[in-house]
Amino acid sequence: MPRLVDHEVRRREITDATRRVIVAGGLDAVTFQTVAAEAELSVRLVQYYFGTKREFLLATHRSVIQDAGARFAQRMSGLPPGAGPREFIRAVLTELLPLDDRRRGEAIVLGAFNTAAIAGRGISAEETLAAPRALVTIVAEQLRRGGSPDSAEPNAELILAAVGGLAQGMLPGHYTAQSAVALVDHLLDLILGAPGN
Amino acid sequence: MPRLVDHEVRRREITDATRRVIVAGGLDAVTFQTVAAEAELSVRLVQYYFGTKREFLLATHRSVIQDAGARFAQRMSGLPPGAGPREFIRAVLTELLPLDDRRRGEAIVLGAFNTAAIAGRGISAEETLAAPRALVTIVAEQLRRGGSPDSAEPNAELILAAVGGLAQGMLPGHYTAQSAVALVDHLLDLILGAPGN
């Protein structure tokens, strides 16, 4: 029986391998065999950590959300003390855009889970909707700080819908990183007023 | 050899069946066998109309775009003569949201193609990006008519990114039809000013 610390490492190896399998071939490519091969572990070991395919799919989804959450926290702690709502929201949003390979992989995995939730293939919408709802709450809170309490909720929903569309549209190349970030800034100008106003 | 009129009907039967297969099981579920079974035709007949899987996938994508285009045209011709940019854009956008089963099916099919273009599985981004680009041009034209020529392009891009995010977010239930339409109106308020202003 491996030590406790190894458990975490192993689970992480397996969920990371699952992400790579999804990026390469979609959710349908995920089996105990493909994930074990990608992780360079035995099928039996993968089954020891995750009894069912559904279990390691959900663990993979959680790992993406947790990674993004950890990056948000890091970005927040790196903001200057007097940072306003705009800098705060901008920091959150740019972590959601696939601006590097890691975030690109995450966007593909989240897109695949969204599709699976739609088709009802073992993944329910409830399991995938908690994170976007939490983000709406966070962004709305910042908008209230920014002084527009009445429309904070719809503005936050709009911001996250737009960023979702931009993130998915960046994947096949409809937006470049530069044009997506410029559009995020443009939307924040519309909602919060141009910077310096 | 069937008559010319039958050709069109048959091709339509096949692309409609392909849509249903994608909605039920994703792009990976599409084979000559599953589509033939769904269309209640022989595999040989499907192969007669579409030599390769890639060919009937692209024909299915085109059929979705053409259907949406035909609905846009119908909505446009139904607008009153003095209709402004807001009514025009609103009519286009609501045709893009999955507000009924047909449009819901289309949104799932387009989402699946987006994912396939990303993974490079026989579908290139060029084949799927023409339609969103055309929509940006149409919406930007209307925004220019609405008197904001400088920011027409970024505003149009934002509108379509937001509608893309709303459409995909409606599928697993993050937005209801009502909340998605309200958010579209809210965005148009931000960009064009509230109605009556």
Side-chain angles (χ1 to χ4, degrees), chain B residues 127-145:
Chain B
E127 285 155 345
T128 61
L129 291 182
R133 286 202 189 112
L135 279 172
V136 169
T137 306
I138 290 171
V139 170
E141 227 171 75
Q142 291 298 317
L143 291 174
R144 268 184 221 104
R145 262 182 71 205

Side-chain angles (χ1 to χ4, degrees), chain A residues 18 22 27 54 56-62 64 107-119 123-124 128, chain B residues 172:
Chain A
T18 309
I22 294 171
L27 224 50
R54 186 169 178 281
F56 67 74
L57 280 178
L58 289 178
T60 303
H61 187 264
R62 269 196 306 276
V64 169
I108 293 173
V109 170
L110 294 179
F113 274 94
N114 196 49
T115 307
I118 296 158
I123 306 292
S124 85
T128 60

Side-chain angles (χ1 to χ4, degrees), chain A residues 22-29 104 108 111-112 114-115 117-119 121 125-126 128-129 132-133 136 151 153-155 157-158 160-166 168-169 171-175 183-184 186-187 190-191, chain B residues 22-29 104 108 111-112 114-115 117-119 121 125-126 128-129 132-133 136 151 153-155 157-158 160-166 168-169 171-175 183-184 186-187 190-191:
Chain A
I22 294 171
V23 169
L27 224 50
D28 291 324
R104 184 180 160 82
I108 293 173
N114 196 49
T115 307
I118 296 158
R121 282 182 278 171
E126 277 315 302
T128 60
L129 291 183
R133 285 202 189 112
V136 168
S151 42
E153 286 290 330
N155 282 337
E157 288 278 11
L158 257 188
L160 286 158
V163 170
L166 290 171
Q168 292 300 313
L171 296 177
H174 182 68
Y175 308 104
L183 287 170
V184 166
H186 183 62
L187 179 57
L190 282 172
I191 288 176
Chain B
I22 294 171
V23 169
L27 224 51
D28 290 324
R104 183 180 161 83
I108 292 173
N114 196 50
T115 307
I118 295 159
R121 282 181 280 172
E126 276 316 302
T128 61
L129 291 182
R133 286 202 189 112
V136 169
S151 42
E153 286 290 329
N155 282 337
E157 289 278 10
L158 258 188
L160 286 158
V163 170
L166 290 171
Q168 292 300 313
L171 296 176
H174 182 68
Y175 309 104
L183 287 170
V184 165
H186 184 61
L187 179 58
L190 282 172
I191 288 175

Side-chain angles (χ1 to χ4, degrees), chain B residues 10-196:
Chain B
R10 281 288 185 239
R11 292 177 73 91
R12 182 76 204 191
E13 283 172 3
I14 295 167
T15 56
D16 277 356
T18 309
R19 289 190 200 196
R20 293 192 299 272
V21 170
I22 294 171
V23 169
L27 224 51
D28 290 324
V30 175
T31 64
F32 279 109
Q33 284 72 28
T34 55
V35 167
E38 178 66 34
E40 300 184 346
L41 299 171
S42 71
V43 170
R44 186 177 292 193
L45 196 69
V46 175
Q47 286 170 330
Y48 168 80
Y49 282 100
F50 299 99
T52 65
K53 177 177 160 177
R54 186 168 178 281
E55 238 183 278
F56 69 73
L57 281 178
L58 289 178
T60 303
H61 187 266
R62 270 196 306 276
S63 86
V64 170
I65 301 296
Q66 282 165 0
D67 282 4
R71 286 202 313 272
F72 293 156
Q74 201 178 11
R75 287 289 298 266
M76 299 308 105
S77 69
L79 288 176
R86 187 192 178 91
E87 285 146 291
F88 189 100
I89 294 170
R90 204 174 179 281
V92 171
L93 299 186
T94 51
E95 286 305 331
L96 294 175
L97 293 175
L99 297 172
D100 57 25
D101 278 352
R102 178 144 201 98
R103 281 174 284 177
R104 183 180 161 83
E106 289 180 356
I108 292 173
V109 170
L110 293 180
F113 273 94
N114 196 50
T115 307
I118 295 159
R121 282 181 280 172
I123 307 292
S124 84
E126 276 316 302
E127 285 155 345
T128 61
L129 291 182
R133 286 202 189 112
L135 279 172
V136 169
T137 306
I138 290 171
V139 170
E141 227 171 75
Q142 291 298 317
L143 291 174
R144 268 184 221 104
R145 262 182 71 205
S148 57
D150 288 344
S151 42
E153 286 290 329
N155 282 337
E157 289 278 10
L158 258 188
I159 287 172
L160 286 158
V163 170
L166 290 171
Q168 292 300 313
M170 274 180 71
L171 296 176
H174 182 68
Y175 309 104
T176 62
Q178 205 181 6
S179 68
V181 170
L183 287 170
V184 165
D185 279 326
H186 184 61
L187 179 58
L188 292 178
D189 289 351
L190 282 172
I191 288 175
L192 292 167

Side-chain angles (χ1 to χ4, degrees), chain A residues 2 12 14-15 21 29 41 44 54 58 61 68 71 81 85 87 89 92 97 104 123-124 127 130 145 168 187:
Chain A
R12 180 78 204 190
I14 294 167
T15 56
V21 170
L41 299 170
R44 187 177 293 194
R54 186 169 178 281
L58 289 178
H61 187 264
R71 286 202 313 271
E87 285 146 292
I89 294 170
V92 171
L97 294 175
R104 184 180 160 82
I123 306 292
S124 85
E127 285 155 345
R145 263 183 71 203
Q168 292 300 313
L187 179 57

Side-chain angles (χ1 to χ4, degrees), chain A residues 66-116:
Chain A
Q66 282 165 0
D67 282 4
R71 286 202 313 271
F72 293 158
Q74 200 177 11
R75 286 290 298 266
M76 299 308 105
S77 68
L79 287 176
R86 186 192 179 93
E87 285 146 292
F88 189 100
I89 294 170
R90 203 175 180 281
V92 171
L93 299 185
T94 50
E95 286 304 330
L96 294 174
L97 294 175
L99 297 172
D100 58 25
D101 278 351
R102 176 141 201 101
R103 283 174 282 177
R104 184 180 160 82
E106 289 180 356
I108 293 173
V109 170
L110 294 179
F113 274 94
N114 196 49
T115 307

